[in-house]
Amino acid sequence: MDYDLCVIGGGINGSGIARDAAGRGLSVLLVEAQDLASATSSASTKLVHGGLRYLEHYEFKLVRESLREREILLKAAPHIIWPMDFVLPHNDNLRPYWMIKAGMMLYDFLGGRKKLKKSQSLDFGTDSIADPLNESYERGFSYADCWVEDARLVTLNAMDAYERGATVLPRTACVGLSPSRDKKSWNVNLQNMFNGDEFVVSAGMVINAGGPWVRSLLDSSNLTDNAGVPNVRLVKGSHVVFPKLYEGDQTFILQQPDGRIIFTIPYEYNYTLVGTTDVPYEGDPSQVAIDKDEIEYLCAAVNRSLKQQVSPDNVIWSYSGVRSLVDDGEANASKVTRDYKLYVDERYGPPILSVFGGKITTYRKLADHVMERVSTFYPDKDLTPWTDTAILPGGDIPDGDFAAFVLKQQEAYSFLSPDLIYRYARAYGTRMAAFMDGVTTEEDLGFHFGDGVYEAEMFYLLRYEFAHEAEDILWRRSKLGLHISSKTYDALLQAIPDMAAQVRADEGEGYKNAAE
């Protein structure tokens, strides 16, 4: 048998499960048909939060688990996760003031806060934090949740899995599953998406973390001839990005006439992110895109509440993702549960566990629950939980003090722009040392493509972070695509394929350990 565990799906759930399993000593293979975080996990609202609105649907367990995970993740990755102030203006026509105040108190109680401040009531007549809002709002609330670089969180989990012994193969598709002749393992048919080559590995257990494709993977392998297999609801969520709509670091939560809420979030220094929609989706998840109605809906949400007015012409970028939710029979897509369900099937001999639903905030706890199930099939192995106190790659910042870490790096590399060093620190944390150690001049960073993009960083991403193509780097490992000129963009499009080929020639099929 090649592996104890084959994890199919390189989103946040799959990478988190692979990391947890590898850290417990299992031999693990993680495969992903596209790039890591290429689908839902890079198309979120990018929040680590409890989900205040889930309280309305009585999902207290989900909210409590999410809020407690918020503290764990903040400690594990202070470079890519940080606190953010959220402001909820009150609209008497939508939800009573007492209801929201009670919800805030419950949110604080369930959260078990250690680092984040508790909620408070605000008088908008005296508090400048509400200045971007129009004059129709007189009062509201503020509380703290966290921001996360979602695609980077996936990559860091995959890196940690690899550094703990897992094999990580992005752009490797599972094209079929079948039990072995003796029914003791799975034959996993895989295809290299670069050259089309197919090969087979064996695994004692399969974890199906395919996200929007979780059910289709089972269907294509004829593994759904059982009424107990859950169904999924595919729901499209779209976001738009505008030039910065207001000054300040606060996020506004805007209640909508249809009962939904929309976030306006300071984004990438110079922009405002607005989302998300909730639209039933039936197409190919890999072809999802925002439509005209969604853009108009998000623009209308902004215009109802902010002084700065917008139109579809002001949108400079958008992204969409498909959330795979457990089909609980709820007609309204916004009310479908965001909790997850684990389904284990042993009818074919070797076990297969499929993950239905879930959200980025609870990925670590979901992986922990998966491993509880996995451990029953490996009774002779000591599979002790460990991730609740573990740090993700780059997160071992002294005392978790990111500001002090940035200052120290800016002093050490004073010959470079402070903004560039800040960006490196935010993206890579202490792992920036992998390409910055020994750098004493700008020339040591190699060829400058323009706009603060240097060859050393690009080689780091190709060598250590499983990137293969320019899009992997410009839109998932970073959001440089929003910031660089068309000249720099074109130069990277031309150079990265050759750089990636050079890395593969140097490293073979494996990747290097950035911690070494």
Side-chain angles (χ1 to χ4, degrees), residues 206-284:
V206 166
I207 306 296
N208 172 15
W213 294 273
V214 61
R215 178 74 192 221
S216 61
L217 175 65
L218 297 174
D219 290 336
S220 65
S221 298
N222 298 313
L223 301 178
T224 52
D225 56 341
N226 185 331
V229 180
N231 289 314
V232 297
R233 290 276 295 276
L234 299 184
V235 177
K236 178 172 64 165
S238 296
H239 298 75
V240 292
V241 174
F242 296 104
K244 185 186 292 187
L245 298 179
Y246 54 86
E247 296 299 323
D249 297 327
Q250 70 273 31
T251 287
F252 290 105
I253 306 174
L254 309 179
Q255 301 178 78
Q256 301 306 302
D258 60 5
R260 297 200 67 253
I261 59 171
I262 296 297
F263 295 95
T264 69
I265 306 172
Y267 185 60
E268 288 291 315
Y269 314 112
N270 302 317
Y271 305 98
T272 301
L273 175 67
V274 179
T276 181
T277 59
D278 263 318
V279 181
Y281 188 77
E282 296 181 354
D284 181 350

Side-chain angles (χ1 to χ4, degrees), residues 6-25:
C6 176
V7 182
I8 301 170
I12 188 58
N13 288 335
S15 62
I17 293 165
R19 174 204 183 211
D20 194 337
R24 298 192 196 210

Side-chain angles (χ1 to χ4, degrees), residues 298-321:
L298 294 173
C299 287
V302 171
N303 292 337
R304 285 189 193 98
S305 298
L306 297 189
K307 293 174 182 174
Q308 178 67 53
Q309 299 290 281
V310 298
S311 73
D313 291 339
N314 301 131
V315 174
I316 61 170
W317 184 53
S318 67
Y319 63 86
S320 301

